[in-house]
Amino acid sequence: MPTRKKKKPKLAVFKFASCDGCQLSLLDCEDELLLLADAVRIASFAEASSGVLRGPYDISLVEGSITTLHDVERIREVRAQSRVLVTIGACATAGGVQALRNFRDVKEFARIVYARPEYIDTLATSTPIADHVKVDYELRGCPIDKRQLLAVLSALLSDRKPSIASHSVCVQCKLRGNVCVMVAHGTPCLGPVTHAGCGALCPTYHRGCYGCFGPAETTHTGGLEWALVAAGASHEDIARTYATFNAAAPPFRRAQEEQLVQIRPKEGGRG
Amino acid sequence: MARTIKVDSLARVEGEGALIIRFKGDKPTAVELRIFEPPRFFEAFLRGRAYLEVPDIVARICGICPVAYQMSACHAIEDALGIRADGMLRALRRLLYCGEWIESHGLHVFMLHAPDFLGYEDAIAMAKDHREWVTRGLGIKKAGNAIVAALGGREIHPINVKVGGFYRVPTRAELSALLPVLETALGDAELCLDWAARFDFPAFERDYEFVALRHAEEYPFCEGRIVSNKGLDIDLHAYEEHFAEQQVPHSTALHSVVRGRGDYQCGPLARFNLNFDRLGGRARDAAQRVEFVPPCHNVYKSLLARMVEIIQALDEAIRIIHGYAPPDAPAIAVAPRRATGHGCTEAPRGMLWHKYTLDEAGLVEDARIVPPTSQNQKCIEQDLWQLAPTLAAMPHAAATRRAEQAVRNFDPCISCSTHFLRLAIERED
């Protein structure tokens, strides 16, 4: 009996509040892009194509965070149309740098940037996709690492469970044979508490990790504090370092708050 | 009979927005480039950040041109602190910027814009009939990314850019390893310019005010005066006296105008028209061979300007690498002080102007960023006003495609400009 040709799976890419960098990672796979396009049907990818196929989709890659009421609805529609939903990057997995608004008054932010803030429609918070819908896999990073993206896509296309390392940047530094920038040069580094994936880039370039892959699975930011202080960082410096691209990821948010408490111990009561 | 044309999403641009053109009969009554990209408030949360953090933070405004944001920020902060990265550090910055131009222009020419001219939905569909050109394009793009990754650590949001220079400078061997891929890309880019020059460019011209940086000797990247073909010639510190940003209800991006005149165009075609005499021999010869010379007022030919700039950037990158010797220190010494500084560099899509005020400790008190797409936004709308009668006479689907193509002439980066597309052409008779 002749076997029926298996239909190619549909891949879709969706964007919420973001810089477009993580979905660009897919177009940056110059050697693999045409091969990937042979293995899947690219059903929706506005940055790259004006063609759109209707859902449902086998794999949806979701970039960006939720910052408008319209997007709260849109992500539910995306979820309903997706068999496997993979969030890509710090915006989608932690709220991104725009989550800095979560700690401040968004109306004040709008007044700083726009002369007519009443034209601006936005929520007070920037939240990760998993706060709104079930997420099947997460890829960390600001931006994601394209090798990790290809690894997840190949696993999903061959019905394997993707395996993404969850250890810290420190482990990657050791694997690369780097000299520790904090121990050897006294450079403050978030490597011990930051999720692996970048290949320990910053220490390889002689600078401290600034946490763009967000918190590792088990972190002990309190234990890192003394080393950062010993390396010359003030509580203000440490608080700012945690308050960047994964500022709203709970371990980094707590670490930031712990530092802020030490800066303003006597202000009590004021929010 | 009333007729409405609607397309839900303008594709092959970076970010989210829509376009509305309303007609009464054949007469356009409204053109609105609507930007839906949710605002992210960068200028607000830069307040209180340390000057050394700024290049890493502003990179996140745009995943396609992070180097441009890093370069404008570094130059503005260095202006405030009274320092200059010269010699090999300056050469390495130009090399990094070459990488970003090649990568970003390569993405736009081959993956986003060429499919319009050849009638495909995307580069992947185009590859079925034109695989050799798509493959060459991807190779060119990859060469640009190879530069950014080698020097910056990674292609997107490089980690090696620092106020005062770099965290680590490359060895000669690390840069020389790039030469074979750059040489191949340069030869391919010349073939691709000849190929693209045979595209069917719609006959469309407008009396643009082109605005770009102009440098005494070089094709502009990070330095120069701000000049135009209508007599503007100013120092970048005088930017705010000559340009204004206006907010409109239909967009989260601000519109820029030249005070007293109105819309203007920045980007590759503006740079090409204003700086043709600053191109290197290889790029100028290639442009002349396909009879693409200034003045060119057909914005569809911005695609050719991007190809010429790819050749220029590859040629310059090769020259920089041949002349490279590692500097003594990866960065010059920097000390904070209370001051205001300005920086303006040529992002792939056009001028990117930054201004920062720092306090005594080097914390940002105030930040202002004017990205190229918000500068071009009004110019895009004006193009569509002029194009509208042609659109009205065209079959519906073709009119829609032509309008989208006209927007893509500017390679609009909506993510950047928010501080940008769905398309609807509405007709009422």
Side-chain angles (χ1 to χ4, degrees):
Chain A
M1 200 177 85
T3 50
R4 208 157 63 93
K5 202 177 163 199
K6 205 179 156 196
K7 251 190 150 178
K8 287 198 278 185
K10 282 187 189 169
L11 174 72
V13 182
F14 297 99
K15 176 194 153 66
F16 293 84
S18 69
C19 79
D20 278 59
C22 289
Q23 55 178 320
L24 179 66
S25 299
L26 195 56
L27 299 176
D28 276 353
C29 298
E30 290 97 355
D31 291 334
E32 299 86 2
L33 189 64
L34 294 179
L35 294 170
L36 178 69
D38 289 338
V40 299
R41 284 180 293 164
I42 296 183
S44 179
F45 187 3
E47 188 183 19
S49 175
S50 46
V52 180
L53 299 175
R54 288 227 302 250
Y57 308 110
D58 296 284
I59 304 168
S60 289
L61 301 175
V62 176
E63 174 193 276
S65 68
I66 304 299
T67 61
T68 66
L69 276 175
H70 174 70
D71 282 351
V72 171
E73 290 306 312
R74 195 159 61 97
I75 188 60
R76 289 185 188 137
E77 289 160 25
V78 168
R79 175 71 264 189
Q81 292 291 319
S82 308
R83 192 171 62 82
V84 177
L85 190 155
V86 184
T87 50
I88 56 169
C91 297
T93 61
V97 69
Q98 58 272 19
L100 288 171
R101 75 176 70 184
N102 302 6
F103 317 121
R104 300 276 295 278
D105 176 6
V106 73
K107 288 190 185 133
E108 176 60 28
F109 271 25
R111 273 195 296 274
I112 292 171
V113 181
Y114 298 99
R116 302 286 300 269
E118 65 272 23
Y119 292 163
I120 302 302
D121 167 34
T122 186
L123 295 170
T125 55
S126 167
T127 44
I129 301 301
D131 281 12
H132 302 269
V133 298
K134 180 177 168 282
V135 168
D136 299 298
Y137 299 100
E138 283 192 338
L139 268 183
R140 300 282 202 85
C142 183
I144 56 167
D145 181 271
K146 68 180 184 185
R147 288 155 298 193
Q148 286 200 334
L149 176 63
L150 285 172
V152 164
L153 287 177
S154 353
L156 291 173
L157 290 172
S158 48
D159 289 320
R160 279 187 288 116
K161 188 170 180 281
S163 154
I164 298 297
S166 62
H167 51 246
S168 73
V169 169
C170 273
V171 175
Q172 290 196 299
C173 237
K174 300 294 166 288
L175 288 170
R176 238 178 134 144
N178 286 340
V179 171
C180 178
V181 296
M182 193 144 64
V183 171
H185 307 293
T187 304
C189 178
L190 291 190
V193 297
T194 298
H195 199 284
C198 64
L201 271 181
C202 286
T204 307
Y205 280 76
H206 304 172
R207 70 178 290 194
C209 163
Y210 61 87
C212 72
F213 273 64
E217 213 153 75
T218 50
T219 57
H220 183 41
T221 52
L224 180 62
E225 183 188 323
W226 71 268
L228 295 171
V229 170
S234 68
H235 293 300
E236 285 91 342
D237 294 335
I238 301 171
R240 273 200 316 271
T241 307
Y242 284 116
T244 58
F245 317 108
N246 294 276
F252 279 13
R253 181 175 187 155
R254 279 195 301 275
Q256 184 199 346
E257 284 163 357
E258 283 160 18
Q259 298 303 313
L260 293 173
V261 164
Q262 298 186 61
I263 300 165
R264 294 192 294 254
K266 295 194 180 71
E267 269 186 56
R270 286 202 308 151
Chain B
M1 191 187 76
R3 196 168 139 200
T4 303
I5 305 176
K6 273 193 179 155
V7 179
D8 282 340
S9 159
L10 185 61
R12 284 182 275 133
V13 297
E14 295 96 2
E16 279 183 54
L19 175 63
I20 308 277
I21 307 175
R22 288 197 183 85
F23 289 92
K24 193 150 200 166
D26 288 344
K27 234 174 105 69
T29 55
V31 173
E32 289 180 4
L33 195 56
R34 295 191 173 177
I35 293 189
F36 298 124
E37 185 75 22
R40 294 192 294 149
F41 307 114
F42 274 86
E43 286 138 309
F45 59 66
L46 280 165
R47 291 187 177 184
R49 308 300 305 210
Y51 70 98
L52 282 170
E53 297 178 294
V54 174
D56 295 323
I57 293 174
V58 296
R60 269 69 183 185
I61 293 173
C62 179
I64 296 93
C65 60
V67 170
Y69 281 89
Q70 295 185 324
M71 291 296 121
S72 286
C74 284
H75 279 81
I77 291 168
E78 289 160 10
D79 180 46
L81 302 180
I83 58 167
R84 249 182 90 84
D86 270 323
M88 282 298 156
L89 291 175
R90 182 177 185 274
L92 285 175
R93 283 184 168 172
R94 282 185 74 85
L95 177 62
L96 185 65
Y97 227 142
C98 286
E100 181 160 283
W101 275 24
I102 298 161
E103 162 271 313
S104 176
H105 282 355
L107 172 74
H108 190 256
V109 167
F110 295 95
M111 312 213 64
L112 311 185
H113 211 193
D116 279 332
F117 289 90
L118 299 173
Y120 298 92
E121 286 179 344
D122 53 50
I124 288 159
M126 194 172 94
K128 290 189 173 67
D129 304 323
H130 302 276
R131 196 168 183 110
E132 56 172 316
W133 296 108
V134 174
T135 305
R136 281 192 180 113
L138 286 168
I140 290 168
K141 181 172 167 298
K142 189 180 172 188
N145 272 333
I147 296 175
V148 180
L151 193 47
R154 61 184 170 198
E155 299 89 341
I156 302 166
H157 305 332
I159 52 86
N160 194 23
V161 171
K162 187 183 184 186
V163 173
F166 295 87
Y167 287 91
R168 174 188 172 275
V169 289
T171 62
R172 282 194 67 142
E174 283 172 317
L175 292 188
S176 299
L178 296 168
L179 285 171
V181 68
L182 297 179
E183 300 277 5
T184 304
L186 179 53
D188 282 347
E190 289 169 326
L191 291 173
C192 289
L193 175 64
D194 298 351
W195 168 70
R198 297 194 296 269
F199 289 175
D200 184 16
F201 294 96
F204 177 87
E205 295 198 340
R206 205 156 71 76
D207 182 22
Y208 297 104
E209 174 155 11
F210 293 110
V211 177
L213 288 178
R214 181 161 170 86
H215 184 270
E217 290 132 33
E218 300 160 320
Y219 204 73
F221 274 117
C222 293
E223 297 155 22
R225 293 177 65 79
I226 300 172
V227 304
S228 87
N229 55 328
K230 307 261 185 197
L232 190 77
D233 183 357
I234 60 166
D235 185 272
L236 64 97
H237 293 87
Y239 175 88
E240 286 169 305
E241 294 163 35
H242 296 268
F243 294 86
E245 272 188 305
Q246 300 168 342
Q247 194 183 358
V248 293
H250 60 264
S251 173
T252 51
L254 301 164
H255 280 197
S256 286
V257 290
V258 179
R259 291 184 197 271
R261 281 205 290 276
D263 72 290
Y264 62 98
Q265 181 181 154
C266 63
L269 191 61
R271 287 191 295 257
F272 175 84
N273 277 316
L274 294 164
N275 291 285
F276 184 77
D277 59 343
R278 297 288 185 264
L279 284 170
R282 192 104 180 220
R284 203 169 52 233
D285 291 350
Q288 279 166 337
R289 192 173 59 241
V290 298
E291 295 171 354
F292 176 55
V293 290
C296 172
H297 288 265
N298 183 343
V299 68
Y300 291 88
K301 293 191 174 176
S302 66
L303 183 146
L304 298 180
R306 283 185 196 90
M307 277 310 312
V308 170
E309 289 194 337
I310 287 173
I311 296 169
Q312 170 71 15
L314 285 162
D315 184 40
E316 172 149 7
I318 292 167
R319 247 183 297 121
I320 290 170
I321 293 172
H322 281 302
Y324 177 67
D328 294 335
I332 51 174
V334 178
R337 67 177 187 187
R338 169 172 287 281
T340 295
H342 305 70
C344 188
T345 71
E346 285 287 348
R349 289 155 194 80
M351 257 173 25
L352 171 58
W353 185 87
H354 288 212
K355 173 182 160 187
Y356 299 95
T357 300
L358 306 176
D359 71 10
E360 293 81 3
L363 300 181
V364 175
E365 277 188 353
D366 190 57
R368 205 176 150 222
I369 295 171
V370 186
T373 295
S374 69
Q375 300 180 66
N376 278 335
Q377 205 180 337
K378 198 174 175 72
C379 186
I380 301 172
E381 287 186 357
Q382 293 300 316
D383 274 10
L384 290 160
W385 277 106
Q386 181 171 320
L387 189 62
T390 311
L391 296 175
M394 288 168 80
H396 190 80
T400 300
R401 281 198 304 273
R402 176 63 59 82
E404 287 184 279
Q405 182 181 10
V407 174
R408 280 194 283 270
N409 284 331
F410 291 84
D411 187 10
C413 182
I414 299 173
S415 304
C416 288
S417 64
T418 300
H419 165 89
F420 183 91
L421 266 143
R422 274 182 287 192
L423 173 73
I425 299 177
E426 295 177 2
R427 298 179 198 215
E428 46 182 309
D429 291 294

